[in-house]
Amino acid sequence: MSEPILFPRERRSPRGPRRRLVEVVVPVYNEQRVLERSVRRLHDFLKTGLPYDFVITIADNASTDRTWDVARRLADALAPVRAVHLDRKGRGRALRHVWSASVADVVAYMDVDLSTDLNGFLPLVTPLLSGHSDLAIGSRLARGAHTTRGPKREIISRCYNLLLRAVMRARFSDAQCGFKAARTEVVQALLPVVEDEEWFFDTELLLLAERVGLRVHEVPVDWTDDPDSRVDIVQTALDDLRGMARVRRRIMQGRFTATVPSPRAHASVGMAA
């Protein structure tokens, strides 16, 4: 596998006092049609509504259309936006690559269609920066959430999350919402143990986090289904079931564990908001 490409290749470090930094990853595959509109909307929202420094990383995992060209153009035009290109597919693979090298205080990701209302982003990351929690997830199934989607996706999602609670004893309510964040030092300790490189990545990360005693914060979100979504939900569901079986075996073999930083040991002193 060739080395991932980063564009722009250099960024100057910001001057002045150290501020909290949040890195938002947008994984993409053949999204030339919506990428620019979504990234500009996200950039505008974070610039005006987030009281922390931020960087948006577009992670193009092996697109075959003009997605990479669009990503490079955005990285050149907008600060702080950067683009990373990998030559193999997989959302989990893209997140692993970016998160494992991040120097931000908190890393996050969201789906490029921005189906989740962006007003949920500050409640997602604030508990992590304050030291209240270790990971945070947007939940379409928590009390207070509002979701608009077809009955097929609704039934599959609810059944999958019920199965996670029944079989894996998961305590989180929504494993699959593409709206998540974590303390960087925590997620970097978990990543070597997480094996999946595609859609089950989220679930495996959350199961591992709960198993080692980390605190997962849930944010009820407003979510609207993207009618143009090309996710094969049946195949994804089958892959998720295989992932659950694999994790179950690893638990029984005592191989599903990680050493993580002391909870909320990062609480900052003298660091600007």
Side-chain angles (χ1 to χ4, degrees):
M1 176 178 173
S2 61
E3 286 296 315
I5 301 171
L6 171 65
F7 187 92
R9 293 185 181 275
E10 294 183 359
R11 287 286 194 197
R12 290 185 179 180
S13 298
R15 295 181 179 180
R18 171 76 163 85
R19 288 169 55 87
R20 301 295 188 87
L21 177 63
V22 178
E23 181 166 11
V24 184
V25 184
V26 183
V28 289
Y29 174 73
N30 288 353
E31 297 288 358
Q32 65 177 28
R33 187 180 62 83
V34 301
L35 179 57
E36 180 161 4
R37 181 173 69 250
S38 292
V39 168
R40 287 187 178 276
R41 178 183 162 201
L42 174 61
H43 179 270
D44 290 346
F45 175 85
L46 295 177
K47 189 174 180 179
T48 58
L50 190 71
Y52 311 108
D53 286 344
F54 70 91
V55 59
I56 299 170
T57 300
I58 306 166
D60 174 22
N61 43 323
S63 291
T64 57
D65 63 0
R66 294 184 56 254
T67 293
W68 177 237
D69 294 333
V70 177
R72 286 189 300 174
R73 186 171 68 246
L74 288 166
D76 199 35
L78 299 175
V81 174
R82 65 178 194 139
V84 178
H85 178 79
L86 293 89
D87 60 8
R88 296 177 64 193
K89 289 176 60 177
R91 181 177 70 180
R93 179 175 287 108
L95 294 176
R96 181 191 305 278
H97 172 74
V98 179
W99 285 358
S100 63
S102 180
V103 297
D105 298 286
V106 164
V107 291
Y109 94 88
M110 60 184 67
D111 292 336
V112 69
D113 57 22
L114 302 185
S115 293
T116 305
D117 189 335
L118 291 175
N119 287 319
F121 190 70
L122 187 57
L124 189 79
V125 300
T126 297
L128 308 177
L129 290 163
S130 71
H132 175 275
S133 302
D134 301 295
L135 294 90
I137 65 173
S139 175
R140 299 160 296 185
L141 302 177
R143 180 174 297 179
H146 298 278
T147 301
T148 302
R149 59 178 166 181
K152 182 178 180 180
R153 295 192 70 167
E154 179 75 11
I155 292 170
I156 290 176
S157 177
R158 287 186 177 275
C159 289
Y160 177 64
N161 284 286
L162 283 171
L163 193 61
L164 281 173
R165 289 196 288 275
V167 177
M168 308 300 295
R169 299 182 181 178
R171 296 185 297 278
F172 48 85
S173 66
D174 189 353
Q176 297 169 311
C177 182
F179 199 72
K180 295 184 174 69
R183 288 172 46 205
T184 306
E185 60 181 343
V186 165
V187 83
Q188 288 176 346
L190 298 178
L191 285 175
V193 183
V194 177
E195 294 181 351
D196 193 79
E197 301 280 30
E198 298 186 10
W199 297 102
F200 188 69
F201 174 89
D202 299 46
T203 302
E204 189 169 352
L205 182 70
L206 290 171
L207 290 171
L208 178 60
E210 285 196 340
R211 186 156 186 83
V212 299
L214 296 173
R215 187 168 185 174
V216 179
H217 178 68
E218 295 200 4
V219 178
V221 295
D222 293 347
W223 190 87
T224 303
D225 189 16
D226 176 14
D228 190 41
S229 175
R230 285 158 288 170
V231 176
D232 185 335
I233 56 176
V234 174
Q235 183 60 51
T236 300
L238 292 174
D239 291 342
D240 287 342
L241 291 174
R242 284 191 285 267
M244 288 173 58
R246 174 176 52 77
V247 168
R248 185 71 177 172
R249 287 194 301 271
R250 293 184 69 195
I251 291 173
M252 295 176 67
Q253 295 166 358
R255 298 190 299 111
F256 196 61
T257 188
T259 301
V260 296
S262 299
R264 291 158 291 285
H266 76 306
S268 61
V269 178
M271 187 175 287

